[in-house]
Structures are given as structure tokens and as C-alpha cells.
Amino acid sequence: VKCAFITRQLRLRDVHDAKIALMCRTQPILESSSKVGLMCYDFGYAALAEQMAGAKLELWHNFWSHVYDFTPADGSQNWSFSTTAPST
């Protein structure tokens, strides 16, 4: 699964082997998930600024890297920071 999200809140459950580019206003939540790669949303398009303003979202309030995992794995993490964009 390869996705990009700009959202106020992200909660993933039963997601496995995914790469996600994320701009999230709150702390992203994982539950019963594994092999989730997260990176900061860094894509752009002509209407992005207008749409974010309309949704009352600001680039400066991005908590994409403040992940809370409700079901951490013993000895390892269910998620990691990714350096590869979801489109590749």
C-alpha cells in the first residue's frame, strides 16, 4: 500500500507493509499494524495552499513523526521513518 495524506487525524488499524507520506495535525496512531513506513508529506499542486486554508490546516502544525503505537512489538517497532516516497 502506498498513500499520501493531509489530514487532521490519522488512525491506522490492521495496516501491513505500507508506505505513507503524511501531513497530520495530531499525533498519528497505529494499532495492530506492522511494517508501516512514514515520511513527511512533501508533494505540491496548484490548489494545495487554498485547500489547506479552507480546511484550517497549517504546514507548521505537522506531527507526522510523533507516532503512537497502541500495540508495540516486542523488541522492534511496527513502523519506521521512510526516505522513499510512496510513488516509487
Side-chain angles (χ1 to χ4, degrees):
V1 177
K2 298 176 181 180
C3 303
F5 297 108
I6 297 176
T7 185
R8 289 186 184 280
Q9 183 179 43
L10 181 75
R11 184 169 188 151
L12 302 175
R13 181 180 171 87
D14 296 322
V15 174
H16 306 283
D17 198 19
K19 287 190 177 186
I20 299 171
L22 181 62
M23 188 280 168
C24 191
R25 179 62 185 96
T26 60
Q27 184 179 17
I29 305 293
L30 295 181
E31 186 173 358
S32 301
S33 298
S34 64
K35 296 183 183 176
V36 176
L38 297 171
M39 68 175 288
C40 185
Y41 183 98
D42 66 351
F43 306 103
Y45 54 92
L48 179 60
E50 181 182 347
Q51 290 172 349
M52 287 187 65
K56 298 183 180 166
L57 292 171
E58 298 177 16
L59 289 174
W60 309 116
H61 295 114
N62 187 1
F63 296 91
W64 74 273
S65 63
H66 298 244
V67 179
Y68 184 81
D69 189 350
F70 274 108
T71 53
D74 291 332
S76 65
Q77 288 185 317
N78 292 317
W79 61 275
S80 63
F81 294 126
S82 179
T83 57
T84 306
S87 61
T88 59

